[in-house]
Amino acid sequence: EIVMTQSPATLSVSPGESATLSCRASQTVSSNLAWYQQKPGQAPRLLIYDGSTRATGIPAKFSGSGSGTDFTLTISSLQSEDFAVYYCQQYDNWPPLTFGGGTRVEIK
Amino acid sequence: EVQLLESGGGLAQPGGSLRLSCAASGFTFRHFDMTWVRQAPGKGLEWVSAITETGDTSYYADSVKGRFTISRDNSKNTLYLQMNSLRADDTAVYYCAKDLRYSYGWGQGTLVTVSS
C-alpha cells in the first residue's frame, strides 16, 4: 500500500497571501495524483488531477506540480472561501486508493 | 450536473448490518465506475470500495474486505454498499463518488454510527 504524507498538518496564512502544501508518496506514483478541497460539513471537491491538471471550473489560483514521490499544491492570493482542508490522493497503484492525512489551511 | 444522493445510514449495533444506497442523476450512470469513500468523525478520507461500470469487478479496502459488498443496478441508476458485521470503527460519513481513480462528483454523504 502506498502511504501518502501531507505537510504541514496545519498552515496559518493571512488573506491575500499564498499557501504551499506538500504531499509525499512512499513510492513513486508517477503523475497519478489528485488534490481535493473539503470545507466543514461538505463533500470533497476535486481541484487537480494528473498532478497538475485543474478540474473543470477550478480557478487558476490553484496549481499543482510534481511527479514521482513529491507533489505541491499552491494556492495564490487566499480568500475566505479557500480556507479549508486539502487532501492529496494517489491512483497509480491500487487497490487501495490512498489519501494523505490532509492539510488544514486556516486564517492567520 | 452530476447529482449523487446517499441514503440508508443510521445507527447500527456492533455485529449488525446496514445497506447504503446512492441514487445517481445528471450523467449516464452505466458508463461510469463508482466508488465509496468514508470519513470518520474529525478524521481524513478513507477509500472503501469501488465497482466497474458493468459491475463485473469490485475492489475493497482490507479493512472492509469480507464484510462489505458493493453492487449496482444500472437500470435504477443506483449504487449500493451492503455492510455486515459492523464494528465501532466503521462509524463514519459514507460518500459515494463518480469515477474510480479520482472523483469529479461526490454525494453529500450519509452518516453511519455503530454503537450499542
Side-chain angles (χ1 to χ4, degrees):
Chain A
E1 171 177 328
I2 297 178
V3 176
M4 307 301 293
T5 303
Q6 292 187 242
S7 61
T10 303
L11 187 60
S12 298
V13 182
S14 298
E17 293 185 341
S18 295
T20 300
L21 288 64
S22 296
C23 175
R24 175 165 290 178
S26 60
Q27 63 190 73
T28 182
V29 297
S30 186
S31 294
N32 296 314
L33 185 109
W35 289 94
Y36 297 88
Q37 176 194 66
Q38 188 180 33
K39 298 179 181 178
Q42 296 186 17
R45 178 175 71 143
L46 178 68
L47 299 176
I48 301 285
Y49 62 93
D50 292 347
S52 61
T53 303
R54 277 188 301 277
T56 302
I58 301 302
K61 65 185 305 180
F62 293 94
S63 63
S65 63
S67 65
T69 60
D70 291 298
F71 298 85
T72 300
L73 175 69
T74 302
I75 312 168
S76 63
S77 187
L78 274 111
Q79 304 300 311
S80 58
E81 62 267 24
D82 301 324
F83 292 96
V85 180
Y86 293 84
Y87 294 95
C88 62
Q89 177 232 315
Q90 69 82 22
Y91 49 91
D92 184 73
N93 189 338
W94 61 274
L97 297 163
T98 49
F99 292 89
T103 292
R104 179 180 305 277
V105 178
E106 64 176 26
I107 300 174
K108 187 173 183 180
Chain B
E1 179 190 1
V2 172
Q3 292 199 342
L4 297 166
L5 183 61
E6 302 94 339
S7 61
L11 178 64
Q13 292 200 333
S17 299
L18 281 176
R19 187 196 199 200
L20 306 185
S21 299
C22 171
S25 60
F27 65 102
T28 306
F29 180 74
R30 65 181 183 275
H31 289 171
F32 289 90
D33 303 330
M34 296 293 293
T35 297
W36 288 99
V37 174
R38 69 184 180 183
Q39 187 169 36
K43 303 298 184 182
L45 301 170
E46 180 188 14
W47 175 81
V48 173
S49 183
I51 189 168
T52 55
E53 57 189 41
T54 60
D56 288 350
T57 304
S58 56
Y59 308 91
Y60 298 94
D62 284 347
S63 58
V64 306
K65 198 174 294 182
R67 301 188 298 122
F68 290 11
T69 303
I70 191 172
S71 63
R72 64 191 296 161
D73 186 337
N74 286 345
S75 69
K76 296 182 178 178
N77 291 343
T78 302
L79 176 72
Y80 302 101
L81 187 67
Q82 177 67 43
M83 305 187 297
N84 298 332
S85 302
L86 284 163
R87 311 186 305 218
D89 62 358
D90 293 319
T91 295
V93 173
Y94 285 73
Y95 296 100
C96 67
K98 174 177 167 285
D99 293 308
L100 196 156
R101 296 182 306 150
Y102 53 85
S103 298
Y104 256 101
W106 295 64
Q108 282 305 298
T110 186
L111 176 63
V112 171
T113 303
V114 183
S115 174
S116 56

